[in-house]
Amino acid sequence: MNDAITPQTTAAVDAAIRSRRSLRAFLPTPVPRKVIEEILEVAARAPSGTNTQPWKVHVLTGAAKQALSSAVRAAYDDPAERARHSEEYAYYPTEWRSPYIDRRRKVGWDLYSLLGIGKADKARMHEQHGRNYAFFDAPVGLIFTIDRVMQQGSWLDYGMFLQNVMVAARARGLDTCPQAAFTQYHRIIERQLGLAADEIVVCGMSLGHADPAAVENSLVTEREPVSGFARFHE
Ligand SMILES: Cc1cc2nc3c(=O)[nH]c(=O)nc-3n(C[C@H](O)[C@H](O)[C@H](O)COP(=O)(O)O)c2cc1C
């Protein structure tokens, strides 16, 4: 079935995908609840093995977002307290190898150099990383969870859902930043949001109108060309 896909549809979908970037400074302009619901409704068209739909989303705005941000930030700013928090699942490898470590370093330094943060400037690095916990001032903070009975396959499904959220946001002129930074503080999130014991925090996400004047939002990350990651067996 070809549900009336025209060249305009192709261009619009590609534009939404290509224009998605992780943005790290937002305007206070609110996002109507109806728009958030619409984004989540369309994102939930993501496929999932046997239609299990493993995603759960906590939508934070106003005082609820502020309360979570403050609680996490307090822990982040206190070295002894920060050391008491760790991720519930491993997002990154424990052993870093090339080319992954090179790409990771490049995006980090590209961001810091745009912001004029030097390699030894630990205080400003701490401050910049801490902006995660304010959802980069976005008016909407999303916390995504998954039931701990679900297996690796459901995490694949989850990634598709997350990408749909980001692309659907783009299609409405909104921007996002997915955030693993929240996972370290899952115990605080559990307490603040009253999560069920079977919910694992997958990640957070900022959602809103990007600040076009913010220098960090000019960061454009690189990609390998197709020839670098695809091998055609003919
Ligand atoms: C699941 C996930 C978690 C991420 N966590 C963070 C984060 O905590 N903070 C942050 O600033 N960026 C985070 N990022 C953004 C990545 O750094 C970004 O996707 C990558 O550098 C590519 O850039 P782009 O999204 O602009 O294309 C995350 C991305 C993903 C997919």
Side-chain angles (χ1 to χ4, degrees), residues 18 20-24 89 91-92 103 107-108 111 128-129 132-133 136 162 166 176-182 202-204 219-223:
R18 284 186 193 281
R20 185 216 57 78
R21 290 187 288 125
S22 297
L23 296 194
R24 297 181 178 88
Y89 76 93
Y91 183 76
Y92 294 109
R103 293 173 182 157
V107 72
L111 177 64
Q128 177 56 29
H129 184 76
N132 271 288
Y133 305 120
F136 300 108
L162 292 172
M166 295 187 278
T176 54
C177 185
Q179 296 172 268
F182 280 100
V202 174
C203 66
L219 178 68
V220 179
T221 54
E222 293 177 351
R223 294 295 187 274

Side-chain angles (χ1 to χ4, degrees), residues 67-125:
L68 180 75
S69 289
S70 304
V72 173
R73 183 67 203 233
Y76 172 70
D77 282 341
D78 176 344
E81 181 59 21
R82 190 165 71 235
R84 280 196 278 274
H85 294 269
S86 58
E87 294 79 6
E88 209 177 357
Y89 76 93
Y91 183 76
Y92 294 109
T94 44
E95 186 201 327
W96 280 99
R97 286 192 191 162
S98 191
Y100 315 111
I101 183 67
D102 315 317
R103 293 173 182 157
R104 175 179 171 83
R105 286 195 179 123
K106 176 159 177 36
V107 72
W109 293 128
D110 283 354
L111 177 64
Y112 287 148
S113 70
L114 271 176
L115 289 160
I117 302 176
K119 293 195 179 190
D121 198 342
K122 298 275 183 259
R124 285 197 61 204
M125 281 184 199

Side-chain angles (χ1 to χ4, degrees), residues 35-225:
V35 174
I36 306 171
E37 283 174 348
E38 213 176 88
I39 290 170
L40 295 177
E41 193 271 332
V42 72
R45 295 310 308 175
S48 56
T50 62
N51 202 22
T52 38
Q53 305 170 61
W55 38 81
K56 275 209 178 75
V57 190
H58 297 263
V59 182
L60 310 184
T61 55
K65 181 178 77 84
Q66 188 54 52
L68 180 75
S69 289
S70 304
V72 173
R73 183 67 203 233
Y76 172 70
D77 282 341
D78 176 344
E81 181 59 21
R82 190 165 71 235
R84 280 196 278 274
H85 294 269
S86 58
E87 294 79 6
E88 209 177 357
Y89 76 93
Y91 183 76
Y92 294 109
T94 44
E95 186 201 327
W96 280 99
R97 286 192 191 162
S98 191
Y100 315 111
I101 183 67
D102 315 317
R103 293 173 182 157
R104 175 179 171 83
R105 286 195 179 123
K106 176 159 177 36
V107 72
W109 293 128
D110 283 354
L111 177 64
Y112 287 148
S113 70
L114 271 176
L115 289 160
I117 302 176
K119 293 195 179 190
D121 198 342
K122 298 275 183 259
R124 285 197 61 204
M125 281 184 199
H126 178 86
E127 198 47 45
Q128 177 56 29
H129 184 76
R131 303 261 308 125
N132 271 288
Y133 305 120
F135 293 97
F136 300 108
D137 296 333
V140 185
L142 303 172
I143 296 288
F144 296 91
T145 68
I146 189 169
D147 192 312
R148 67 183 72 248
V149 299
M150 303 310 267
Q151 298 287 344
Q152 271 183 335
S154 296
W155 290 70
L156 283 186
D157 305 337
Y158 218 114
M160 299 182 217
F161 172 72
L162 292 172
Q163 171 74 350
N164 274 358
V165 170
M166 295 187 278
V167 171
R170 226 24 324 271
R172 289 161 179 78
L174 297 168
D175 280 290
T176 54
C177 185
Q179 296 172 268
F182 280 100
T183 57
Q184 182 180 351
Y185 299 99
H186 65 93
R187 284 192 285 119
I188 295 176
I189 297 171
E190 277 156 27
R191 199 167 59 231
Q192 284 287 323
L193 305 185
L195 299 189
D198 53 16
E199 280 180 273
I200 296 184
V201 175
V202 174
C203 66
M205 188 183 289
S206 303
L207 170 70
H209 296 267
D211 179 353
V215 67
E216 56 269 51
N217 284 348
S218 62
L219 178 68
V220 179
T221 54
E222 293 177 351
R223 294 295 187 274
E224 280 291 301

